[in-house]
Amino acid sequence: MIDPLYAAAPDRYDSGMKYARCGRSGILLPRISLGLWHNFGDVNQLATCRDILHFAFDHGVVAFDLANNYGPSYGSAEETFGQIFRKSFRPYRDEMFVATKAGYDMWPGPYGNWGSRKYLVSSLDQSLSRMSLDYVDVFYSHRYDPETPLEETLQALVDIVRQGKALYVGISRWPKDAAEFGYRYLKSRDVPCLVFQDRLNIFDRNVEASGVLRQAYDSGVGFVAFSPLAQGLLTNRYLNGIPEGSRASIGKFLKAEAITGELVDKIRGLNEIASGRGQTLAQMALSWVLHHKEVTSVIVGSSSVGQLADSIKCLDNLEFSELELNEIENVIK
């Protein structure tokens, strides 16, 4: 059976998605972006991946976050995106905001990792080929490289934009001092940093404590948050311990020993606050991140259309009373 041609929903920008200015730029990002870190590799069903991507675009989620080594296997998330792009999204390319990154392990040898000019340029060329794109909307340095001179990494980003391979550049998980240097360097070469990406959730607030979040805001750089659900901890999955098939039970990215009785009590306390708001715990966790004025967009993963639909519903209630915020703090402490 031949799949019917995809036609985007005509009301895709009237279905409730909200958009926010990304720093001091002309870019508006959807408050919810779709991340392809998990669930879009060559081990996943292509039809499910296609359904999720179609649903996202039909509901105004026009920002898609990838990286060279997302999968598994490495590169396969970009290949999955490329297959679906060719069949479904090519007519809508100018409505899409596609991001990819390089900085972590990708191929063997000294030139397949970190932040050298050779690695970044080669990786982006490969990413464009896998995704069947002429350019990406933003290309990130995926992590700070303490060995490569910052000028080399940053100049590679500048040249990538000047070559037309990316419209904007961003940095991810750089320490505060390096980020400050990066912002100045890029701005002085008329390729300002568009966006900074890092982890932020109710349990992990390091970007607040370190000043990185405020630094981005004051520098006119958008902030995109990932891991808003703390690897699934901020969902109803762990309310009664560790369910079979969860990340903690598998031991990948989240260890079973981390799920202590004290942590479960905190999760249950947060769930009660969410119920009082008329939200699931996951929805409240997303709303909490988006409640920060410095945050432009939050990246959500999804293993199903239903899961993505549930995440988008967080936009129905982004406001928190002082009482609710204090209750959250009391539970965490």
Side-chain angles (χ1 to χ4, degrees):
M1 179 179 176
I2 299 175
D3 293 326
L5 292 176
Y6 170 71
D11 64 346
R12 56 191 177 277
Y13 298 113
D14 301 309
S15 59
M17 180 52 60
K18 295 177 172 65
Y19 300 84
R21 181 73 51 189
C22 190
R24 289 194 289 269
S25 77
I27 289 299
L28 293 171
L29 288 181
R31 302 310 308 276
I32 300 291
S33 298
L34 180 63
L36 280 71
W37 180 27
H38 300 296
N39 306 312
F40 291 86
D42 52 20
V43 299
N44 302 105
Q45 290 290 328
L46 182 62
T48 301
C49 299
R50 179 194 61 211
D51 291 346
I52 295 170
L53 286 168
H54 285 182
F55 182 88
F57 193 71
D58 285 343
H59 289 80
V61 179
V62 294
F64 302 93
D65 184 82
L66 298 105
N68 55 357
N69 63 354
Y70 286 179
S73 58
Y74 286 179
S76 61
E78 290 182 329
E79 291 174 348
T80 295
F81 181 87
Q83 290 184 64
I84 297 168
F85 173 80
R86 290 191 297 272
K87 291 187 176 181
S88 299
F89 291 130
R90 195 180 296 277
Y92 306 101
R93 174 64 183 99
D94 293 337
E95 296 182 39
M96 305 178 78
F97 198 88
V98 182
T100 197
K101 319 176 196 74
Y104 285 93
D105 174 55
M106 182 59 190
W107 62 80
Y111 313 124
N113 207 341
W114 295 101
S116 72
R117 178 185 182 88
K118 179 172 177 62
Y119 173 46
L120 296 181
V121 172
S122 299
S123 178
L124 179 54
D125 286 343
Q126 293 180 23
S127 292
L128 292 174
S129 177
R130 285 190 289 267
M131 293 189 287
S132 298
L133 299 178
D134 297 322
Y135 67 93
V136 290
D137 295 280
V138 62
F139 180 65
Y140 286 92
S141 167
H142 204 171
R143 65 168 165 171
Y144 170 69
D145 182 347
E147 301 296 332
T148 299
L150 283 177
E151 293 88 346
E152 177 176 339
T153 298
L154 293 163
Q155 190 59 43
L157 296 180
V158 169
D159 293 341
I160 280 167
V161 170
R162 291 177 177 168
Q163 292 165 6
K165 296 178 181 179
L167 299 184
Y168 301 92
V169 293
I171 57 178
S172 177
R173 309 208 72 190
W174 282 33
K176 188 178 179 182
D177 290 348
E180 182 63 33
F181 181 88
Y183 295 156
R184 291 199 307 269
Y185 187 100
L186 293 169
K187 184 177 181 180
S188 71
R189 284 149 180 84
D190 299 320
V191 182
C193 183
L194 176 74
V195 63
F196 186 99
Q197 187 176 128
D198 210 330
R199 180 185 292 111
L200 175 62
N201 60 61
I202 291 175
F203 287 141
D204 188 342
R205 309 175 185 193
N206 184 60
V207 292
E208 289 184 297
S210 67
V212 164
L213 181 62
R214 184 70 193 190
Q215 177 194 47
Y217 183 79
D218 290 342
S219 301
V221 176
F223 186 92
V224 171
F226 67 82
S227 194
L229 304 182
Q231 300 294 336
L233 288 178
L234 291 165
T235 68
N236 62 8
R237 182 168 295 180
Y238 296 99
L239 291 175
N240 298 300
I242 304 174
E244 188 173 345
S246 65
R247 289 184 185 178
S249 69
I250 297 171
K252 189 174 184 180
F253 304 113
L254 184 63
K255 302 300 182 183
E257 53 266 28
I259 315 299
T260 63
E262 181 182 2
L263 178 59
V264 171
D265 286 342
K266 291 181 179 181
I267 295 170
R268 289 172 178 168
L270 292 171
N271 188 60
E272 288 181 11
I273 300 171
S275 296
R277 288 170 50 83
Q279 291 183 308
T280 65
L281 175 53
Q283 288 167 351
M284 185 183 77
L286 294 172
S287 296
W288 182 89
V289 174
L290 291 172
H291 180 70
H292 291 70
K293 67 178 182 180
E294 301 92 345
V295 174
T296 310
S297 182
V298 62
I299 297 171
V300 302
S302 179
S303 59
S304 68
V305 166
Q307 190 177 52
L308 180 57
D310 184 73
S311 295
I312 292 174
K313 287 178 183 176
C314 80
L315 299 176
D316 295 339
N317 187 6
L318 296 179
E319 299 303 318
F320 286 81
S321 68
E322 271 314 304
L323 177 60
E324 288 171 332
L325 292 173
N326 289 335
E327 287 177 337
I328 290 172
E329 296 308 306
N330 288 336
V331 168
I332 295 305
K333 292 177 181 178

